[in-house]
Amino acid sequence: MHVYQQHCRWRSQPFCSSLSVTPVIGYLPNLDLSKLKMNDAETEEIFTVPIAELLDREKLSFQEYGERGTLPIFKARHPIWGLTGYILYNFLRDVMHAPFPKDLKKR
C-alpha cells in the first residue's frame, strides 16, 4: 500500500468561542458505506461527495453568522456547512490548494 503524506501547518481550528477541534484527514480506499456504524442520535445519513465537486466554485457560497463571522456552505447532495464546512473549506484551500480566499471576509 502506498502512503501519501501531506504536511500541513494545521493546529486546532478555532470555531466559535468555546470549541476547538483538530482535523485528522485520511484516505479510505474501497469504502463500503453500508459497513459504517452510524450514531443515529447525531447522524441522519452518511454520504460522500467527490473532491472535484467540492472544488467547483459554483457550488460554494457564504453566509454571515453574526459573531461567528462568514462561513462557507458547500452545495452538495446535502448542504455542508457549520463546523464541517469550515474544516472542509480549510482542507481544500490548504491541502488541495483550492483558490479560495484565506480571509473569508475578503471573498
Side-chain angles (χ1 to χ4, degrees):
M1 176 172 76
H2 174 72
V3 176
Y4 173 77
Q5 186 174 12
Q6 170 71 45
H7 295 281
C8 190
R9 293 189 176 115
W10 277 10
R11 295 184 182 181
S12 291
Q13 299 285 303
F15 186 79
C16 305
S17 58
S18 62
L19 180 64
S20 184
V21 299
T22 301
V24 177
I25 298 166
Y27 174 70
L28 302 172
N30 305 315
L31 177 64
D32 183 352
L33 294 179
S34 68
K35 292 186 178 182
L36 295 178
K37 294 182 182 176
M38 183 170 73
N39 180 340
D40 293 331
E42 293 189 16
T43 308
E44 185 175 323
E45 180 181 0
I46 297 172
F47 63 97
T48 61
V49 180
I51 288 180
E53 186 176 333
L54 295 169
L55 291 171
D56 181 353
R57 196 69 164 82
E58 295 290 317
K59 297 191 178 219
L60 175 63
S61 64
F62 298 89
Q63 178 73 39
E64 290 290 329
Y65 286 97
E67 292 179 11
R68 292 182 186 174
T70 303
L71 296 176
I73 301 172
F74 293 90
K75 300 173 210 157
R77 178 174 166 188
H78 299 286
I80 302 171
W81 60 284
L83 180 58
T84 304
Y86 178 78
I87 291 170
L88 184 57
Y89 181 89
N90 286 304
F91 165 75
L92 293 170
R93 188 193 67 222
D94 297 344
V95 178
M96 302 299 296
H97 305 289
F100 297 161
K102 187 124 179 121
D103 184 352
L104 290 173
K105 293 178 183 174
K106 296 180 181 177
R107 50 181 169 70

